[in-house]
Amino acid sequence: MTDAADIPVRVRPEIAALPAYKQGRQASGDAFKLSSNENPFDPLPGVAEALRAESAVNRYPDATARRLRERLAARFGVTSDEVHVAAGSVSILSQLILATAAAGDEVIYAWRSFEAYPWLTVVPGAVGVQVPLTEDARHDLPAMASAVTDRTRAIIVCTPNNPTGPAVTQAEFDDFAAQIPSDVLIILDEAYAEFVTAPGAVDGTLVLARGTHPNVVMLRTFSKAWGLAGLRIGYAVGHSRILDTARSTGIPLSVTAHAESAALASLDVETELRARVAVIAERRDRLAAGLREIGWRVPDAQGNFVWLATGDETMAAAEAFEAAGLIVRPFAGEGIRISVGEEESVGKVLRIAESIVGALPAAHRGRR
């Protein structure tokens, strides 16, 4: 945390106090980077060729990403006006919160969840209402529904939850959405949807297809499963007038022609994408099972990462992983998120994790 005293111009004190977004640490050439939930595979076939074909960098891109919006609209059975494309799904989160929440308004989200949610809420002057996760690191949707007040303008549901891993079920979400006033925006953040294998997990496409909750907007991204993290492109599907407000608050021309072409090329080889996702999901399940076997209490993992509730020992544990050439993502005082990386990293993670769990107190919440 900082304050405004050492800033040479007048800024809002709540902005001065915000910590800057902390990216997962980069890794040296001989280490495994397991800190940013990136896809360990190279770009899908055709992506590199599509990028090379986009040579007119002296020209602005299509501000609406029309080709990709039309492709996604056909995919989800909606109109192109019901699709919005931006520089990553976090950009759309920012746009939607700017559009709905002003000073004193409230935005509800689970905690711990995606670390951008607090500052995305503070920037427009809104108040973040953090609802604690359950003991098994899941969204407490009944508590989130109970937290709604006359000042609530938006609710974010992150499924699977980043960084803890569990997904919301379809039944849970349906019950929840039915309790929320129809003029409150529900943002269904499904950045990791492609990795979900749990039966009965919520599916934003099904929610939207029913048409019973026009206040729900589904967010997805090409950064994770599709492997385009370095190009920054994500999308929203929902009511066209809600998405118009996001388009109004967004920075124009933020989606490059390279990103749009790479996304289109990736969609052309979805069969290959699904095969890669299956490999990562199997690797994730094997890693989670191995961690449980050696004594860790690991929540249900439905993204491309696992969660270790290391608590007060978090930073020391992260240092132990780093010393072994494993760059993980620590959240001081809470836990460590470990992305599913290359196959060669799995055994190494398990060896270091075993040495760490063995040194934890018997009653530690991270132990089984």
Side-chain angles (χ1 to χ4, degrees):
M1 292 287 187
T2 61
D3 59 45
D6 60 348
I7 302 177
V9 297
R10 285 181 288 182
V11 300
R12 290 163 50 197
E14 64 271 26
I15 299 299
L18 276 178
Y21 174 75
K22 187 176 180 182
Q23 183 183 17
R25 281 194 56 191
Q26 300 299 311
S28 61
D30 59 349
F32 290 104
K33 185 187 178 191
L34 310 177
S35 56
S36 295
N37 291 347
E38 296 158 333
N39 191 319
F41 287 101
D42 290 334
L44 287 159
V47 169
E49 291 79 1
L51 292 174
R52 283 193 289 270
E54 289 292 348
S55 58
V57 294
N58 58 312
R59 302 295 184 186
Y60 285 118
D62 176 358
T64 68
R66 177 187 56 79
R67 290 182 301 153
L68 182 56
R69 286 193 303 113
E70 290 177 350
R71 180 74 172 272
L72 292 170
R75 178 187 184 88
F76 296 117
V78 298
T79 68
S80 59
D81 287 339
E82 294 170 295
V83 179
H84 173 46
V85 175
S89 56
V90 69
S91 293
I92 305 175
L93 271 166
S94 174
Q95 294 163 10
L96 289 170
I97 293 173
L98 283 169
T100 56
D105 292 334
E106 294 175 346
V107 176
I108 298 172
Y109 49 88
W111 198 251
R112 153 108 18 211
S113 194
F114 181 34
E115 65 185 287
Y117 295 160
W119 61 259
L120 289 173
T121 301
V122 168
V123 167
V127 176
V129 178
Q130 298 183 350
V131 177
L133 298 173
T134 63
E135 278 298 307
D136 51 356
R138 305 181 73 252
H139 275 51
D140 189 341
L141 290 180
M144 291 175 71
S146 296
V148 173
T149 71
D150 290 341
R151 295 196 299 167
T152 304
R153 296 295 178 267
I155 305 172
I156 308 171
V157 176
C158 183
T159 178
N161 187 50
N162 173 25
T164 61
V168 170
T169 70
Q170 188 71 56
E172 288 172 333
F173 185 82
D174 291 345
D175 289 345
F176 170 75
Q179 298 176 62
I180 304 304
S182 61
D183 60 352
V184 172
L185 174 65
I186 302 173
I187 303 170
L188 188 58
D189 187 353
E190 293 188 303
Y192 302 92
E194 291 86 354
F195 298 108
V196 175
T197 56
V202 66
D203 182 344
T205 63
L206 176 60
V207 175
L208 295 173
R210 290 173 178 166
T212 52
H213 298 293
N215 58 326
V216 174
V217 169
M218 176 186 80
L219 299 189
R220 293 196 178 177
T221 183
F222 286 96
S223 294
K224 308 302 181 184
W226 298 88
L228 301 182
L231 290 171
R232 307 305 304 127
I233 185 161
Y235 61 94
V237 183
H239 193 288
S240 62
R241 291 297 292 128
I242 296 175
L243 298 187
D244 282 345
T245 68
R247 289 183 265 263
S248 296
T249 56
I251 297 174
L253 301 161
S254 61
V255 176
T256 67
H258 291 78
E260 183 182 16
S261 291
L264 287 165
S266 297
L267 289 168
D268 286 340
V269 288
E270 186 170 356
T271 300
E272 172 70 16
L273 178 279
R274 296 293 171 186
R276 292 182 177 191
V277 166
V279 169
I280 294 172
E282 186 278 333
R283 195 175 294 166
R284 171 202 68 201
D285 292 345
R286 187 158 30 92
L287 176 59
L291 289 165
R292 294 182 187 116
E293 261 183 50
I294 61 177
W296 285 99
R297 181 184 178 192
V298 180
D300 184 30
Q302 292 296 318
N304 64 333
F305 52 88
V306 295
W307 174 253
L308 303 180
T310 41
D312 292 339
E313 287 73 30
T314 292
M315 301 315 293
E319 288 175 8
F321 279 115
E322 184 174 347
L326 300 163
I327 309 303
V328 297
R329 186 63 174 274
F331 297 86
E334 297 180 75
I336 289 174
R337 188 190 68 197
I338 304 175
S339 304
V340 178
E342 294 81 356
E343 175 62 32
E344 296 78 11
S345 69
V346 175
K348 201 168 185 180
V349 168
L350 291 173
R351 286 194 298 274
I352 303 306
E354 186 170 18
S355 69
I356 294 169
V357 75
L360 295 178
H364 193 283
R365 64 189 300 265
R367 296 187 66 160
R368 296 189 70 184

